[in-house]
Amino acid sequence: MSQVNSSQEPLVSVIIPTYDRPEYLKQAINSAVKQTYRNIEIIVSDNCSPISPQKIVESFGDSRIQCSSQLSNVGMFVNQMDTFKKAQGKYVASLHDDDMWNEDFLEKLVPALEKNPDIILAFCDQYIIDKHGKIDHIGTEENSTAYKRTILKKGVHQPFIEIAVIDKSVPIAAACVIRKEFVDWEKIPQEVDGMWDLYLAYLCSRSGHGAYYYPEKLTRYRAHEQTDTNLSGSLDAKANLSGSLDAHTKAKIRKGRAEIFCYEQFMKDEKLKKYKLYFKQKWLESHTTLAIGLLRSEQTTEARPYLLRALSEQKFNFRTIAALILSFIPRPITNQLLGVAAK
């Protein structure tokens, strides 16, 4: 595909927060550098990795890339928001350090934003790839179907609150271009943590502006054992090593707390009142998620109130009942049932 004259293109800021994934980072940067849309800046923000990615950045010899490092590990959320705030472009696009874009990702999404000045974001569908970069075709179709992108019509959707926060069709973190000036970046509270992408989708959807959907798969989301989604796991997720258990437990607790906060905010929003019952159910499910994380970390007393609230305010839920029963079982047996006993 031919490249557009970059002098006529608005600047797009590509933000890449990273931590200790040098090989994946190299692939992510490479996919940004090779964009057929040329007028970009690439902002790499390292969250104090053991080895600085500076040499990786320098190896590209591309003046469009800038790299900075946090003085200490500030957490995923702060590092992510720092990159957004450093962006100088008219548009911003998040690219996680383990994901990749097709070469024409920006070329196909930016024109929709330029043509429609009231659109706040443009997004596309995505492939799911494994840790080696191979496309998981079954996983891809399951993902697209689960987030209803297979039935979403191409073009402008306005309003798009249901698409953003109910169907969760908008992959903010890796397959979306956002009009920077329409977002108040200071309104994203730190409590949203790893759910920052859902919260940002929420802010964009309640703004009154529209969203544009391009139904082609233009990005590649890498599903592997170190993603927060996989680390947060499920009730029967297994980890054989103490270090792995610690990561799974922390991810589960982070996810639970972040979801509780987000759904509480959504329930309070008058613009979203028609979805209040849905958010209430998700809020209660988040209580169980947090409680399971607390049980794994042997914080049984702290876990029970979350389980009791979830059980008292929703219909029969096996996951919640199972977790509550486990909270009264002796620890060695609980460890085995949670699938986290060291072998």
Side-chain angles (χ1 to χ4, degrees):
M1 187 173 293
S2 61
Q3 296 179 4
V4 184
N5 185 345
S6 62
S7 65
Q8 298 177 356
E9 298 173 340
L11 179 66
V12 176
S13 298
V14 178
I15 64 170
I16 309 179
T18 186
Y19 178 74
D20 198 25
R21 291 198 280 219
E23 287 305 313
Y24 287 163
L25 174 62
K26 190 183 300 183
Q27 294 173 40
I29 295 175
N30 187 57
S31 76
V33 167
K34 288 187 174 181
Q35 288 298 297
T36 52
Y37 186 100
R38 304 303 298 169
N39 192 22
I40 64 175
E41 63 171 359
I42 301 170
I43 303 171
V44 178
S45 182
D46 175 49
N47 196 18
C48 199
S49 296
I51 299 176
S52 171
Q54 187 65 43
K55 288 186 178 180
I56 292 175
V57 170
E58 291 174 355
S59 71
F60 285 93
D62 193 319
S63 61
R64 296 176 299 171
I65 312 173
Q66 55 179 282
C67 180
S68 61
S69 294
Q70 303 288 353
L71 297 178
S72 62
N73 191 308
V74 295
M76 178 180 63
F77 172 81
V78 173
N79 194 43
Q80 180 84 41
M81 290 303 112
D82 277 356
T83 56
F84 277 124
K85 293 172 184 177
K86 289 176 183 175
Q88 299 296 309
K90 181 177 181 180
Y91 304 112
V92 290
S94 170
L95 174 60
H96 278 180
D97 64 351
D98 53 348
D99 297 332
M100 293 183 287
W101 290 341
N102 291 3
E103 293 182 4
D104 56 351
F105 168 67
L106 292 175
E107 183 179 332
K108 287 185 173 177
L109 291 189
V110 172
L113 289 157
E114 286 289 278
K115 183 179 179 180
N116 302 277
D118 194 40
I119 286 178
I120 193 170
L121 60 83
F123 67 103
C124 62
D125 202 358
Q126 57 188 0
Y127 289 105
I128 303 298
I129 59 175
D130 65 16
K131 63 182 180 180
H132 303 295
K134 182 180 179 181
I135 294 175
D136 177 353
H137 292 286
I138 294 176
T140 293
E141 291 312 307
E142 287 177 348
N143 182 270
S144 297
T145 300
Y147 293 107
K148 299 188 178 181
R149 289 191 290 270
T150 53
I151 59 174
L152 197 59
K153 292 182 179 179
K154 179 180 180 179
V156 178
H157 296 264
Q158 189 173 12
F160 68 104
I161 286 177
E162 189 165 325
I163 292 171
V165 295
I166 305 298
D167 300 335
K168 300 176 183 175
S169 305
V170 186
I172 289 280
C176 182
V177 182
I178 303 171
R179 192 183 301 271
K180 186 173 184 285
E181 66 174 333
F182 282 180
V183 178
D184 184 346
W185 300 96
E186 301 298 334
K187 282 192 173 181
I188 304 177
Q190 191 164 349
E191 289 87 348
V192 304
D193 198 26
M195 302 297 292
W196 68 267
D197 50 346
L198 175 62
Y199 200 85
L200 179 53
Y202 155 69
L203 290 180
C204 289
S205 68
R206 75 177 307 283
S207 68
H209 299 291
Y212 181 90
Y213 176 55
Y214 193 93
E216 190 175 332
K217 296 176 177 65
L218 301 175
T219 69
R220 302 182 180 218
Y221 173 84
R222 195 186 304 269
H224 57 100
E225 62 275 7
Q226 291 303 312
T227 62
D228 243 26
T229 301
N230 285 336
L231 286 176
S232 62
S234 59
L235 180 60
D236 59 353
K238 294 186 178 181
N240 297 328
L241 301 175
S242 59
S244 187
L245 166 60
D246 185 60
H248 278 264
T249 300
K250 288 181 179 179
K252 177 74 73 174
I253 292 173
R254 283 200 311 270
K255 184 174 187 287
R257 294 194 191 283
E259 287 184 339
I260 288 172
F261 177 84
C262 287
Y263 290 123
E264 281 179 350
Q265 304 310 304
F266 298 168
M267 284 191 288
K268 294 175 184 176
D269 191 333
E270 283 298 307
K271 288 189 176 183
L272 274 62
K273 62 182 179 180
K274 66 180 288 188
Y275 307 111
K276 189 171 181 178
L277 288 178
Y278 168 81
F279 293 134
K280 179 70 174 293
Q281 181 60 36
K282 300 299 289 185
W283 179 70
L284 291 170
E285 290 173 7
S286 302
H287 280 64
T288 302
T289 297
L290 174 56
I292 291 171
L294 293 171
L295 285 175
R296 285 177 172 173
S297 64
E298 302 189 22
Q299 300 179 64
T300 305
T301 303
E302 292 82 354
R304 283 181 191 143
Y306 290 103
L307 293 169
L308 291 171
R309 171 177 281 180
L311 198 59
S312 67
E313 296 191 39
Q314 64 183 340
K315 294 180 180 179
F316 178 87
N317 185 288
F318 176 78
R319 181 169 174 258
T320 304
I321 293 173
L324 184 60
I325 292 171
L326 287 175
S327 75
F328 290 98
I329 293 176
R331 191 69 218 171
I333 299 175
T334 303
N335 280 346
Q336 293 179 5
L337 293 174
L338 284 173
V340 297
K343 293 184 178 179

